[in-house]
Amino acid sequence: MFDKILIANRGEIACRIIRSARRLGIGTVAVYSDADANARHVALADEAWHIGGAPALESYLRPERILEAARESGARAVHPGYGFMAENAGFAAGCAEAGLCFIGPPVAAIEAMGSKSAAKKIMEEAGVPLVPGYHGQDQQIGILQQAAGRIGYPLLIKASAGGGGKGMRVVNGAAEFDDALASARREAKAAFGDDQVLLERYLTRPRHVEIQVFADSRGNAVHLFERDCSIQRRHQKVVEEAPAPGMTQQLRAQMGEAAVAAAKAIGYEGAGTVEFLLDEDGSFYFMEMNTRLQVEHPVTEMITGQDLVEWQLRVAAGEVLPKSQQELEIGGHAIEVRVYAEDPDRDFLPSIGTLEHLRPPAENAHVRIDTGVCQGDAVSIHYDPMIAKLIVWDQDRTSAVRRLQQALADYQVVGVTTNLRFLASVAKHPAFVAAELDTGFIERHRGDLFPAAEPASDDVLALAALDVLLRRSHEADRGATLPLDPCSPWLLTDGWRLNSDNHHTLTFHQGETTIEVVAHYRSECYLLELPGGPLQVCGELDGQGDLLANLGGRRARATAVRRGNELTILFQGRSHCLQLDDPYLLTDEQEGTGGSLTAPMPGKVISVMVEAGAEVKQGSPLMILEAMKMEHTITAPGDGRVTALHFEAGALVNEGEELLAFEAVEGS
Ligand code: MV4
């Protein structure tokens, strides 16, 4: 076994590989770009080597820099993870030339699976079922027209050099064929530099069912059962699960044997995935073979109890497969979803920003989180905006679906837009619960999967008002301990007014909507005037940012995250972002922070939202301190410029220390 390996990747997969390597007592070397200097995978590794600039092409896609880091660190093997250079035959060969073990399949296997038509030819000879079609080298139009006539319609024209759905074209009748062929060829030439096409009968409602295979260097090969990955969006997997719903033992055995035959046909070693299309009649057809560990491998690990990265390390070190086929069995059901910083309401555009608040559900035997980020990290424009993979397991699918729904409801992210609500809509959808899966799922149920944002309910408004009032009260109590006049009337927060009951009006904005909540102070609670009527509320902050409230006799627990005048209430699995324009609050915030940008109390800088030289508006958040288990936002005292930052995230500061230098602009 290797004494040290280099992980040529980043994010969650790098962290995941490090976790298994560490458990096996193997030293780990991380590589990182400028943008990842403080990334989680760098912190977790034993050593870390800088390999270049933030863009992947200047770092993670630079083989020479990675091989140099391996040589200088003394690593004996390189794990490519997935993506980047995981299926790059040239990189795998470069590792071998450098005397390093590439933890993956042989170069020849990667090359053999690189071309769709070549792969299909190999599979056909190995007896692996293919979709009825034509994938010959003879591309004369007459040959293709004859083939189309044999296949029948609807048929699919696919670019041989394509992949992931690129260069596919459905043809519904003979009259359309010639034009569709010409168009598909032009597109393939433009996209892949190769206009070779193949023809297939078009399956109208297929499922994507893939088989995990593993082979060692001694000629052994097994399958670790199947995963259903039918729920995809633009050929990006959204939900993956194992085992595939509705799979019979016979079909599982047939697909497993076909997948193992495919692996053996190309002299495979290591982890691989054979992807099939499963038709409604139970027929299955080879689609492609991936020569890497897949993103969704954890669902296979959860139902088999195997660590596939450990298998990779052992097999790459020349050991025999850890289990025989007879020793592998399915236990329970697992489902994975990918939590992304992206906006489903804006066509899943990546959402760039800082993970101001990040609280995944608690991990246990039923919930696993594979992540490469921590609270306070920035979501970079340079890489896949994945926050984490959420994997759940239970004894059966119904229970696993319930675990998924709960885990998604508990997943808290503030600072970027995420796809959590979209994933929750999928997990709750009756068709998903009933396991009615096929590759058209998202398009078919689109109307149900993108619910419009809900206006804040009275309960959400009550929780927001309570958070504001309780924090103000805490700040005032704290203020009373400062060396000011403890009896100063300015420290009172009971809303006292001359000739009027004690009350205060809080003004919230949600999008274009403005909502006023009048809070009447009562001895042990507040009486709130809400859009739906009055509600008596009380509660407390638990110091973790959670609000334990009593709303008109109903107990409620919520998380409130404050960023300047933005308040996010996470309640009952939903996230509600409100803006406050309560001048008292802003003043209070500044009072709470000493006004002059000094630390109001000893604490830790947990977030810096600006750079030196930044022009800022009054009240905009500049820095967040964590003290007394609460977050204190340092805001701009006026319009001006931040001229210097004296501390960065993670620094500990003493009370009264100047945190940053600020220059007001004239007239502010
Ligand atoms: C197909 C098909 C229907 N019939 N082939 C999409 C990408 C590539 N992996 C193959 N794909 C498909 N090939 C025939 N003969 C439907 C798809 C397909 C698909 C397959 C798996 C997962 C998601 C998909 C989404 C759209 C289309």
Side-chain angles (χ1 to χ4, degrees):
M1 180 52 81
F2 313 111
D3 55 10
K4 186 188 285 189
I5 66 170
L6 180 143
I7 295 93
N9 214 303
R10 63 175 302 281
E12 69 85 14
I13 190 61
C15 297
R16 189 256 168 286
I17 293 164
I18 291 168
R19 185 170 72 232
S20 290
R22 182 180 296 282
R23 184 171 56 79
L24 294 171
I26 298 171
T28 53
V29 178
V31 292
Y32 66 92
S33 68
D34 293 346
D36 280 341
N38 299 311
R40 183 165 180 261
H41 77 282
V42 172
L44 288 177
D46 297 313
E47 306 172 39
W49 295 70
H50 177 256
I51 52 172
L57 282 170
E58 297 175 21
S59 45
Y60 300 103
L61 290 174
R62 284 183 62 186
E64 75 285 358
R65 295 287 288 135
I66 290 171
L67 296 177
E68 184 185 333
R71 186 169 51 250
E72 289 177 15
S73 64
R76 306 306 309 141
V78 175
H79 195 307
Y82 55 68
F84 292 130
M85 292 191 288
E87 295 184 288
N88 182 316
F91 177 67
C95 289
E97 284 154 24
L100 296 163
C101 173
F102 176 76
I103 300 172
V107 173
I110 298 175
E111 290 171 336
M113 293 297 103
S115 153
K116 298 181 83 63
S117 43
K120 286 183 188 300
K121 184 164 176 23
I122 292 169
M123 295 308 149
E124 192 172 35
E125 289 161 2
V128 177
L130 300 183
V131 180
Y134 174 83
H135 46 267
Q137 296 304 309
D138 189 337
Q139 296 280 303
Q140 294 176 74
I141 188 155
I143 298 293
L144 295 173
Q145 286 169 337
Q146 278 177 1
R150 280 197 313 275
I151 295 164
Y153 294 90
L155 66 76
L156 203 54
I157 302 175
K158 288 183 178 178
S160 292
K166 293 192 186 74
M168 283 185 6
R169 195 172 301 287
V170 179
V171 185
N172 291 306
E176 302 165 26
F177 181 76
D178 291 356
D179 289 349
L181 175 62
S183 165
R185 275 174 152 168
R186 283 194 302 272
E187 189 178 300
K189 186 70 177 174
F192 315 111
D194 173 354
D195 67 355
Q196 182 173 338
V197 296
L198 55 90
L199 310 178
E200 291 180 348
R201 175 159 59 83
Y202 181 56
L203 310 182
T204 52
R205 285 187 70 156
R207 287 167 63 182
H208 171 127
V209 176
E210 59 187 35
I211 301 283
Q212 179 69 58
V213 293
F214 234 107
D216 63 20
S217 54
R218 321 283 182 89
N220 303 307
V222 298
H223 70 84
L224 290 99
F225 314 114
E226 78 280 355
R227 297 186 285 260
D228 188 306
C229 309
S230 300
I231 301 185
Q232 300 192 16
R233 182 188 159 276
R234 293 189 188 162
H235 306 293
Q236 289 294 316
K237 294 165 183 169
V238 173
V239 184
E240 304 105 340
E241 59 184 286
M247 180 65 74
T248 63
Q249 287 296 1
Q250 182 191 9
L251 181 57
R252 173 173 292 125
Q254 288 171 341
M255 294 182 79
E257 283 156 23
V260 168
K264 289 187 171 178
I266 59 173
Y268 205 75
E269 293 176 23
T273 296
V274 184
E275 293 186 344
F276 293 99
L277 288 173
L278 178 61
D279 209 352
E280 294 169 278
D281 65 359
S283 308
F284 61 92
Y285 308 101
F286 172 81
M287 202 164 26
E288 57 195 64
M289 181 172 185
N290 299 317
T291 56
R292 66 178 186 276
L293 187 65
Q294 305 257 140
V295 172
E296 60 269 23
H297 75 273
V299 295
T300 300
E301 295 186 318
M302 300 292 272
I303 66 165
T304 60
Q306 300 305 311
D307 177 337
L308 298 187
V309 170
E310 176 180 355
W311 280 45
Q312 284 186 296
L313 295 167
R314 293 191 180 284
V315 164
E319 296 182 20
V320 70
L321 283 175
K323 295 283 183 191
S324 67
Q325 192 68 62
Q326 292 65 37
E327 292 172 306
L328 290 165
E329 57 185 18
I330 294 173
H333 197 100
I335 305 173
E336 175 186 271
V337 293
R338 306 178 189 196
V339 182
Y340 269 82
E342 59 186 12
D343 189 345
D345 296 331
R346 296 174 63 200
D347 200 25
F348 292 86
L349 199 64
S351 174
I352 305 307
T354 300
L355 297 167
E356 305 286 358
H357 174 85
L358 178 64
R359 193 191 292 177
E363 290 192 88
N364 53 45
H366 296 281
V367 178
R368 168 177 162 178
I369 307 281
D370 281 11
T371 186
V373 294
C374 304
Q375 180 165 298
D377 281 0
V379 174
S380 170
I381 56 173
H382 297 292
Y383 314 115
D384 185 64
M386 178 186 280
I387 292 172
K389 295 176 334 196
L390 167 61
I391 306 105
V392 297
W393 175 90
D394 212 314
Q395 293 294 345
D396 53 59
R397 187 178 191 271
T398 301
S399 307
V401 169
R402 191 168 51 244
R403 295 275 179 190
L404 176 64
Q405 293 166 348
Q406 186 55 56
L408 286 168
D410 291 346
Y411 214 125
Q412 297 186 352
V413 181
V414 175
V416 293
T417 304
T418 73
N419 64 344
L420 282 165
R421 274 188 68 213
F422 167 73
L423 294 172
S425 300
V426 172
K428 283 185 289 209
H429 196 283
F432 177 75
V433 173
E436 294 163 7
L437 310 176
D438 71 80
T439 56
F441 182 95
I442 289 178
E443 278 317 303
R444 183 174 308 110
H445 302 295
R446 169 168 290 276
D448 305 325
L449 300 178
F450 298 87
E454 294 162 2
S457 65
D458 274 11
D459 280 358
V460 168
L461 291 169
L463 290 163
L466 193 53
D467 179 68
V468 172
L469 296 165
L470 289 173
R471 286 181 191 240
R472 182 188 300 159
S473 173
H474 278 226
E475 289 289 331
D477 292 348
R478 189 187 57 75
T481 63
L482 290 176
L484 298 172
D485 168 7
C487 300
S488 159
W490 299 112
L491 295 176
L492 295 177
T493 59
D494 59 5
W496 181 85
R497 291 168 190 255
L498 192 61
N499 302 328
S500 164
D501 93 310
N502 298 354
H503 70 275
H504 195 89
T505 299
L506 296 176
T507 304
F508 295 103
H509 297 282
Q510 186 180 28
E512 299 305 309
T513 305
T514 297
I515 310 120
E516 290 199 342
V517 175
V518 180
H520 299 269
Y521 292 73
R522 295 292 181 267
S523 58
E524 296 298 318
C525 64
Y526 302 97
L527 181 63
L528 304 180
E529 290 181 39
L530 297 161
L535 188 65
Q536 184 163 297
V537 303
C538 60
E540 58 184 6
L541 293 168
D542 75 349
Q544 306 290 327
D546 280 355
L547 197 50
L548 311 177
N550 180 313
L551 307 178
R554 288 175 292 116
R555 289 185 58 70
R557 183 185 187 90
T559 300
V561 180
R562 180 79 58 80
R563 288 191 302 156
N565 68 345
E566 186 181 277
L567 174 58
T568 301
I569 300 293
L570 301 135
F571 177 54
Q572 293 180 338
R574 289 284 162 82
S575 173
H576 306 269
C577 186
L578 302 170
Q579 275 72 40
L580 302 173
D581 65 359
D582 176 346
Y584 178 94
L585 177 75
L586 285 183
T587 311
D588 169 60
E589 284 271 290
Q590 285 156 5
E591 270 173 1
T593 56
S596 63
L597 304 177
T598 58
M601 63 194 78
K604 179 181 176 185
V605 178
I606 59 172
S607 179
V608 180
M609 286 92 104
V610 291
E611 293 182 350
E615 302 278 346
V616 292
K617 290 289 184 194
Q618 175 171 2
S620 53
L622 307 176
M623 194 180 273
I624 297 182
L625 287 186
E626 185 175 71
M628 293 193 328
K629 292 184 182 294
M630 286 173 59
E631 292 184 354
H632 301 263
T633 303
I634 310 296
T635 56
D639 295 356
R641 178 204 310 274
V642 173
T643 52
L645 290 169
H646 303 324
F647 296 95
E648 57 186 31
L652 298 178
V653 296
N654 298 316
E655 182 169 351
E657 277 194 291
E658 182 171 76
L659 300 167
L660 46 84
F662 174 81
E663 217 168 67
V665 296
E666 289 308 315
S668 77

